Amino acid sequence: IRSIGHSWEGRPIRVMEMAIVDTSADASGPSAVPLEDRPLVYLQSGIHAREWIAPSTTLFISRGILSAARGDDVANSEAAPRLLSE
């Protein structure tokens, strides 16, 4: 999680980046591609004051992707690492 700037009210604008990064010396394959050169999925939520479910949905999706990448979610255990490394 990092800040990418500030709103006009001075509040930090935070983003969460998820990726599999291969830092080994002999890195090859999709995870060796620099993050800025990879396709991305952008999820935005909580823009309007009464959108109470949108931030929870974004966190739920993010948790699902991370759980699957760790191998906790057997049904999606192959798709998530591919999504995070390509």
Side-chain angles (χ1 to χ4, degrees):
I1 296 179
R2 66 183 178 97
S3 177
I4 59 170
H6 291 84
S7 70
W8 66 275
E9 293 177 328
R11 298 178 187 171
I13 300 172
R14 296 185 179 103
V15 296
M16 176 174 57
E17 295 174 310
M18 298 183 287
I20 295 175
V21 179
D22 189 352
T23 58
S24 63
D26 60 341
S28 62
S31 61
V33 175
L35 292 177
E36 57 273 0
D37 294 337
R38 296 184 192 181
L40 63 90
V41 174
Y42 178 75
L43 302 173
Q44 179 176 316
S45 63
I47 302 305
H48 300 102
R50 293 191 178 145
E51 289 181 355
W52 63 273
I53 196 67
S56 296
T57 303
T58 300
L59 290 173
F60 180 80
I61 292 169
S62 300
R63 181 177 177 223
I65 292 170
L66 292 173
S67 293
R70 281 195 332 231
D72 297 343
D73 182 357
V74 178
N76 295 309
S77 61
E78 292 181 21
R82 191 168 22 103
L83 173 69
L84 296 177
S85 65
E86 294 180 355

